[in-house]
Every structure is written in structure tokens, then in C-alpha cells.
Amino acid sequence: SVLDSVIYHHGNVGCICASSDSGSEIVNCHVKSTKCTQNGKYAGGIVASGVETTIKNCSVSNSQLNCRSDTGGIAGSCKDVKISNVCVKSCDLECDKGGLGGVVADGVKTEITDSLIHTVDLTARSNISFVGKVNYGRFVGPEDSNGEDGLVKSCSVINCSATGASEYGLDIFSKRGIVKDCFVENSEITT
């Protein structure tokens, strides 16, 4: 876990990060009351990258994430991404350029299940996704690998707000693949 910390970095960083050619896993990890400020790209509370990426039983709460571009509360990138039983709560996420998400994954065969986004404020000059893929940002590949077989299931967005200034707009849930048993409650979206 990362608790009551300040992280500042010029490059790519996550409060908790896993990266490998294959088999990255982040399990039972938590970020709380932490500020992550980053001048490069690709920041997040919890981030995993590589083929067969798994993030489960994790949370990011009471934290502030600021990035020049491409920020995720909890994010997985690459192929065969599975994110389950995660929570992003009472957080402010902001990026100056493109690609901002609450719980996001890119690539083919992506699954996000049992995710809760609660009392989160997302602000970006470009595209935003609460849950799913961040199109035209770091967390998505070419259109032909965008993962039509993706799944977003049993995910909730509660007491959240988002402001995005982009022609690509703002997605509450991924536009691609299957969205099942998800709901939004008491939230304000401006784009």
C-alpha cells in the first residue's frame, strides 16, 4: 500500500506500478491520501502494463492525480487486460491533454468487472472515460485492436463529476464491446 505520500516525477509513473512483457499482476494493493504529480505521460494510482495484465482487489482513495496527459485512477494497458473488484473513491483526477479515466483498460480481450467509481472528479482538456477505454489517449491502441470483445460488467458511477473539453467527448462507460449491469447515480457530466 501507499499511504499519505507525495510522488513527483518527470517521466512515467504510478503510485503502484507493474510492468513486464507478460503476466503483470497487482493484487490487494491500495493507494490512500496520496498526491501524484507528473510532468510526463502515463500516470495513475495503480497501473499495470504487459500481456496478460491483471489488477484485482485494489483501491485508490482520497488521492489527487495530476498528469500532463494520459492519467488513470486504476489502469491496465496492452493485451488480455482483466480488472476486477476495484474501487476509485474520493479522488480528483486531472490531465492537461488527452486520455483520462477512472478505471480504464486498453487493447484486445479487456475485461472490467465489479468496479466502483464513487465521489470522483475528472477534469481533462481532451477525452474522458469513467469506466472502459480512453479513446485517442495512452490507454488505447489502433482502431483495429480496440477490443470489440471487451467487457464492462457490474460497474457503478456514483456522486461523480466530469468536465472534458474535447471533440471526442466523454464516455461514462466504454462504447466498445459489451456493457452489462452497470449504472450511474447522482453524477454531473459536462463536455
Side-chain angles (χ1 to χ4, degrees):
S1 63
V2 176
L3 175 65
D4 293 326
S5 298
V6 176
I7 298 170
Y8 180 82
H9 200 270
H10 285 288
N12 308 329
V13 69
C15 299
I16 295 176
C17 238
S19 179
S20 67
D21 290 337
S22 66
S24 287
E25 288 190 358
I26 300 178
V27 181
N28 298 326
C29 292
H30 307 279
V31 175
K32 186 175 181 181
S33 302
T34 292
K35 182 175 182 181
C36 180
T37 301
Q38 201 255 7
N39 281 339
K41 291 184 174 183
Y42 323 143
I46 295 175
V47 181
S49 66
V51 179
E52 298 174 358
T53 292
T54 299
I55 302 174
K56 64 182 178 181
N57 304 332
C58 294
S59 68
V60 177
S61 62
N62 300 306
S63 294
Q64 183 177 355
L65 305 173
N66 297 298
C67 187
R68 185 167 57 88
S69 65
D70 310 324
T71 303
I74 294 177
S77 64
C78 239
K79 184 178 172 183
D80 292 318
V81 178
K82 289 183 175 56
I83 300 176
S84 63
N85 195 26
V86 296
C87 174
V88 178
K89 187 173 182 179
S90 301
C91 292
D92 291 326
L93 280 70
E94 185 174 349
C95 69
D96 291 335
K97 293 187 179 178
L100 176 68
V103 177
V104 289
D106 91 21
V108 296
K109 297 184 181 175
T110 63
E111 291 184 11
I112 301 174
T113 57
D114 300 308
S115 296
L116 170 65
I117 313 294
H118 196 295
T119 319
V120 172
D121 183 19
L122 305 179
T123 306
R125 293 176 193 259
S126 186
N127 47 297
I128 291 177
S129 179
F130 273 107
V131 181
K133 297 173 182 298
V134 177
N135 297 315
Y136 306 100
R138 164 68 178 100
F139 301 116
V140 74
E143 288 296 318
D144 60 357
S145 67
N146 238 351
E148 294 295 341
D149 53 350
L151 172 67
V152 174
K153 182 179 177 183
S154 301
C155 297
S156 340
V157 174
I158 303 172
N159 296 335
C160 292
S161 65
T163 304
S166 168
E167 62 191 274
Y168 305 122
L170 188 153
D171 297 324
I172 296 173
F173 299 112
S174 175
K175 292 189 293 186
R176 298 181 176 275
I178 297 168
V179 178
K180 186 175 180 180
D181 300 326
C182 296
F183 73 90
V184 182
E185 180 180 300
N186 195 35
S187 295
E188 183 176 331
I189 312 298
T190 305
T191 184

